[in-house]
Amino acid sequence: MTILFTLLQPQAQGGFAQYSGLIMIVLLFAIMYFFMIRPQNKKQKELRNFRNALKPGQEVVTIGGLHGTVRSISEKEDTITLEVATGVKLVFDRTAIVPQGEKPQT
């Protein structure tokens, strides 16, 4: 009976010990934000800016790994025509283009 009674009694803790669990959770979310979420958002923003700034004559790679030169951009701005060899032109969606030299994401 005394063991049960001592387990049910509230423990006197210091001020820091009461909030240590909360501090650890907040710290974990801050680390996740600065090491995972923020860099990914920055990379997505750079890729979006690159795709919006595409101009004819620019060397690019598709997400499938096909290298080519931008020949034209549609009026709707959603498709891009690439020349992959002399006289061979292919039409791709704008989201399928990544900068030359960058590894396509899978």
Side-chain angles (χ1 to χ4, degrees):
M1 183 74 167
T2 58
I3 295 174
L4 181 62
F5 183 75
T6 56
L7 290 175
L8 294 176
Q9 285 183 340
Q11 299 292 322
Q13 297 179 351
F16 179 73
Q18 290 177 346
Y19 300 108
S20 64
L22 180 63
I23 291 170
M24 292 301 285
I25 291 173
V26 169
L27 186 62
L28 178 68
F29 280 113
I31 289 170
M32 282 180 51
Y33 175 77
F34 283 108
F35 286 107
M36 295 174 67
I37 298 169
R38 187 169 179 244
Q40 183 65 27
N41 287 344
K42 184 178 177 182
K43 189 171 184 175
Q44 286 176 347
K45 184 178 178 182
E46 289 172 1
L47 186 58
R48 184 174 45 249
N49 290 339
F50 167 77
R51 288 177 178 158
N52 289 334
L54 283 173
K55 304 240 183 291
Q58 191 171 359
E59 296 285 326
V60 295
V61 179
T62 66
I63 57 175
L66 187 66
H67 294 249
T69 305
V70 176
R71 288 297 166 217
S72 65
I73 301 171
S74 72
E75 296 90 29
K76 294 186 233 175
E77 300 283 330
D78 60 349
T79 60
I80 295 176
T81 303
L82 294 183
E83 185 173 10
V84 295
T86 306
V88 179
K89 295 180 181 175
L90 302 172
V91 178
F92 289 93
D93 191 54
R94 182 182 289 270
T95 59
I97 306 296
V98 294
Q100 178 77 19
E102 185 173 314
K103 287 186 177 180
Q105 291 183 352
T106 56

